[in-house]
Amino acid sequence: MKNFAQSFMDLWKQLGLNQRVSLIVAFIAVVGGLTGLSVWSHRPDYQLLYGHLGDKDAAAIISYLETQSIPHQITAGGTAVEVPSNQVYKLRMDLAGKGLPGGDGVGFEIFDKGQFGLSDFVQRTNYMRALQGELARTITQLQGVRGARVMIVQPENRLLLTDQTIKPTASVFVDIGGSRLDPDQVNAIRHLVANAVQGLQPDEVAVVDNHGRTLSEELRQDPSLGTASSQMRYRQQVEDYFAKKVESMLSQVIGPGNAVVRVSADIDTQSTNVTDEKYDPNGQVARTQTSTDETTKTTESKTAGGNVGVTANVPDKTGTSTPRPTSESNMGKKNSSITYEIGRTVTTTTRTPGTIVGLTASVFIAPNPAGKDGVVPKRSEADLKNLKMMVIDALGLKAPAGQSLDSLVTLEEMTFATPPAVEQIQAMQAQSKWPLWLEAASKWGAVAGALVMLVIFWRLLSSQKAEVIPLELLALPEEKAAANGASSAAITPEMVNELIRQKPGEVSTTLRGWVAAGNTPNT
C-alpha cells in the first residue's frame, strides 16, 4: 500500500496542470455518480396510499403519518399521498380503523355516537345526511369521478297529505375534472341513487358535472315519445340494435372487423286510440225475463132476517141454530215479460308510438384475404347475393307494395382504409411496452451512467502521457572520458548515480522515455 501511494505521488508530480485538473474533474464526477447511485438505491419505493382525497381527509392522514414518523410524499396537488410500498396495506388497515378517509360527507358513522334525547326531526335529518354521504362516497369510487355530492328531497311525512303528486327527487353533482362520463356511467349513478331511496324513480334523479352540463337529461325515459330528444334516442337505439345484430352475424362468416353495417329505421311516433262498436240485429239475446202468476179465492156468508131488538140477540134455548146461506168466488191472474238485447261488439285498440314502419340497411364488406401467391380472390355474384339474403332475413324485412327486397338492402364489397385488427393489436402491444422500458431505464439508468463515467475516466487516464524531460548529463573531464574508453554521449553508471543524486524526481521519467525510444545504456 505504501509503494502504491508513493508511485501515485510520483505520477502526480510528473503530470502537468491541465492533466491534474482533468483527473480531478473525472474523479469528482465518478464519485458523485456512485454516491447518487447509492442514495437512489437506498431510496424507498413509494406507492399510492390514497388518491382523490379532500382537504380534510388529506390533512388527517398526513398528521397521522407524521405522528408515526412514517416517510411519505404528497402528490397530485395535495390530493394523493404516497408511502413506502412495504407499508401500504398495513397503513390502509390502520387508517380504516380510525375512520380515514371519511370522505367529504358524513356517513352512517354518525349513529355510532349516543343519540339519547334527540327529537324525531333530528333523527330523520341525521339519517338523510348519512344516506347522502354514503351515496357520495360510493359514486366517488367510479372511474373518472374525483368527487361527488348528493342531495335528496323527500316529501314530509304528514298524517294528511294535501298533494298526492309530490314525489321524492334527488340531485347529484360529480367532479370529473376535464374528462367526460359515458352514458352507461351516468345511468348507473341514476339507478344507484334511485334504488337507495324509497319511492324514487331514476327519471327523478338529475346528474350535473363540474362543467355545468346536465348529464341525465338525455337519459330520461319518455314512454309517449313526446319530445324530439326521446324520439331520436329511441330511433338510435333501434338502429344500433339491428346494426349490431347483422354485424355479429357477418363477423362469424367473413371475420371480425370485416363488415360495416348501418341501418335506417322509420319510426311511427303517433299515439292513437281506436274504438270499434258493431251491432248484430240477428243475434238477439234475452236480457231479462219476468213471470207473475196470481190466484184469489173469496168465500162470503149471507145472514137471514129476524126480529129486531133483544130477541134477535138472545140465543135459542133449544140449542139449535138456523143455517146461513154462503157464496164463493175464484179469480186467477198470470203476467209474463221478456226483454231482449241486440248483439253488440265493442273493440278498443290503443296504438302506442314506436312502431317500426320500415327498415333499410347499407352493408360494406372487406375483400377476401390475399392468398399465398398474393392474389386477392374476389367474391362471386352468387356469394354477394347469398350475403344480402342473410342480411334481409336477419332484419326480418318484408317487401312493401310496389317494391322489392333488393331495394331495401345495399351490399357492396370494398377495400377498407382502416388497418386490420391484427395490426391495431400489435400497435397497442408495442405501446404497452413503453412503460416497462421506462421503468427498467429508471432502475438501471444510474448504474449505466456510473459505468460510462468510469470508462471515460479510464480512457482519459490511459491517454495521458508523461511529459518528456530532457536528461541532463554531467560534464566529465576529457581525460576521464578517454580513460573509460567511451564517447562523451555515452551514459555510464557513475553518471546516472550523479544525476539521481542531483535531481531524483526527473530521472525515472527520463529513463522510461529513453528506454521506450529503443536506447540501451552502456554499462
Side-chain angles (χ1 to χ4, degrees):
M1 188 66 182
K2 186 180 296 185
N3 294 333
F4 175 78
Q6 184 63 35
S7 301
F8 181 79
M9 292 302 298
D10 293 341
L11 178 61
W12 179 261
K13 293 179 180 180
Q14 296 171 8
L15 296 177
L17 179 61
N18 295 335
Q19 296 173 345
R20 292 180 180 182
V21 172
S22 300
L23 184 61
I24 292 173
V25 172
F27 177 76
I28 293 175
V30 171
V31 172
L34 294 177
T35 303
L37 177 63
S38 177
V39 173
W40 180 84
S41 61
H42 288 83
R43 178 179 176 271
D45 182 18
Y46 284 94
Q47 188 175 348
L48 181 65
L49 177 64
Y50 286 113
H52 304 295
L53 295 173
D55 296 339
K56 183 178 179 180
D57 290 336
I61 293 174
I62 293 173
S63 177
Y64 175 80
L65 296 177
E66 292 178 351
T67 303
Q68 300 296 325
S69 300
I70 298 175
H72 58 277
Q73 290 182 348
I74 304 173
T75 58
T79 61
V81 179
E82 296 180 354
V83 295
S85 58
N86 57 348
Q87 302 184 23
V88 171
Y89 301 105
K90 181 179 180 300
L91 286 174
R92 286 179 180 175
M93 290 186 291
D94 294 342
L95 292 173
K98 296 182 176 297
L100 294 174
D104 294 335
V106 179
F108 282 109
E109 67 273 2
I110 192 175
F111 294 104
D112 295 339
K113 302 178 182 180
Q115 303 292 326
F116 181 75
L118 296 180
S119 63
D120 181 66
F121 175 77
V122 177
Q123 290 281 19
R124 287 188 286 108
T125 303
N126 289 339
Y127 173 76
M128 190 61 61
R129 291 178 58 198
L131 182 60
Q132 294 176 165
E134 292 295 336
L135 287 174
R137 294 176 184 176
T138 306
I139 295 173
T140 308
Q141 302 301 319
L142 295 177
Q143 183 178 4
V145 179
R146 300 193 304 182
R149 294 287 301 275
V150 179
M151 285 72 73
I152 300 174
V153 179
Q154 282 189 329
E156 296 184 9
N157 188 12
R158 294 180 179 179
L159 182 60
L160 298 177
L161 295 178
T162 58
D163 191 355
Q164 299 290 342
T165 61
I166 299 179
K167 298 180 180 179
T169 58
S171 301
V172 180
F173 172 80
V174 290
D175 183 6
I176 57 177
S179 60
R180 296 183 66 92
L181 290 182
D182 296 334
D184 293 338
Q185 292 177 300
V186 179
N187 203 27
I189 294 174
R190 294 168 64 239
H191 283 81
L192 173 67
V193 177
N195 288 300
V197 181
Q198 183 179 4
L200 182 60
Q201 300 297 326
D203 288 341
E204 302 299 330
V205 179
V207 182
V208 182
D209 63 1
N210 56 317
H211 299 285
R213 298 188 296 258
T214 305
L215 306 180
S216 59
E217 185 65 26
E218 298 180 356
L219 300 177
R220 291 182 177 273
Q221 300 295 330
D222 188 1
S224 62
L225 299 180
T227 60
S229 61
S230 300
Q231 296 175 9
M232 293 299 296
R233 183 170 64 251
Y234 177 74
R235 180 177 180 179
Q236 182 181 4
Q237 292 175 355
V238 172
E239 293 175 348
D240 291 344
Y241 167 74
F242 284 105
K244 291 179 180 179
K245 182 179 180 181
V246 176
E247 284 187 3
S248 62
M249 178 190 64
L250 294 178
S251 63
Q252 302 296 328
V253 180
I254 61 178
N258 292 327
V260 178
V261 181
R262 294 294 181 268
V263 177
S264 178
D266 186 8
I267 307 297
D268 184 8
T269 58
Q270 295 181 355
S271 177
T272 58
N273 293 326
V274 178
T275 302
D276 186 11
E277 185 174 357
K278 295 181 179 180
Y279 291 93
D280 186 7
N282 298 324
Q284 296 180 355
V285 180
R287 181 177 182 182
T288 59
Q289 183 176 358
T290 304
S291 178
T292 305
D293 189 2
E294 296 181 0
T295 301
T296 304
K297 184 178 182 181
T298 306
T299 302
E300 296 181 357
S301 60
K302 296 182 178 180
T303 306
N307 298 324
V308 179
V310 179
T311 307
N313 295 324
V314 176
D316 191 2
K317 295 181 180 180
T318 62
T320 60
S321 59
T322 302
R324 299 179 179 178
T326 61
S327 63
E328 296 181 359
S329 64
N330 295 326
M331 185 179 61
K333 182 180 180 182
K334 184 179 290 186
N335 186 13
S336 179
S337 175
I338 300 175
T339 303
Y340 292 93
E341 186 75 25
I342 300 177
R344 185 182 63 167
T345 302
V346 179
T347 303
T348 302
T349 304
T350 301
R351 187 176 66 179
T352 59
T355 304
I356 300 176
V357 179
L359 291 175
T360 57
S362 298
V363 182
F364 294 95
I365 59 176
N368 289 321
K372 296 182 179 179
D373 54 355
V375 179
V376 179
K378 293 185 177 180
R379 294 184 175 88
S380 62
E381 293 294 332
D383 293 338
L384 296 177
K385 185 176 181 180
N386 291 333
L387 291 175
K388 179 182 288 189
M389 292 304 301
M390 292 172 57
V391 174
I392 292 174
D393 294 338
L395 295 176
L397 298 178
K398 296 182 180 179
Q403 295 184 7
S404 62
L405 289 175
D406 293 338
S407 63
L408 301 179
V409 176
T410 303
L411 190 144
E412 296 290 340
E413 182 180 10
M414 291 186 175
T415 302
F416 288 3
T418 56
V422 177
E423 296 182 1
Q424 294 181 0
I425 294 175
Q426 292 178 354
M428 294 174 61
Q429 292 178 350
Q431 293 178 359
S432 63
K433 293 181 180 179
W434 280 106
L436 299 177
W437 287 108
L438 292 176
E439 183 178 359
S442 63
K443 290 183 177 180
W444 299 101
V447 178
L451 293 177
V452 170
M453 295 178 66
L454 183 61
V455 170
I456 293 175
F457 171 72
W458 178 259
R459 292 180 62 89
L460 290 175
L461 186 62
S462 60
S463 63
Q464 299 295 330
K465 295 183 179 179
E467 184 179 356
V468 179
I469 302 176
L471 181 64
E472 297 181 5
L473 299 180
L474 299 176
L476 297 177
E478 295 181 358
E479 61 277 6
K480 188 175 182 179
N484 293 332
S487 63
S488 58
I491 300 176
T492 61
E494 291 79 4
M495 296 172 61
V496 173
N497 292 333
E498 184 66 19
L499 185 60
I500 292 172
R501 184 181 62 80
Q502 295 181 4
K503 295 183 178 181
E506 299 178 357
V507 173
S508 60
T509 303
T510 305
L511 289 179
R512 279 197 300 269
W514 181 67
V515 172
N519 299 322
T520 55
N522 296 327
T523 56

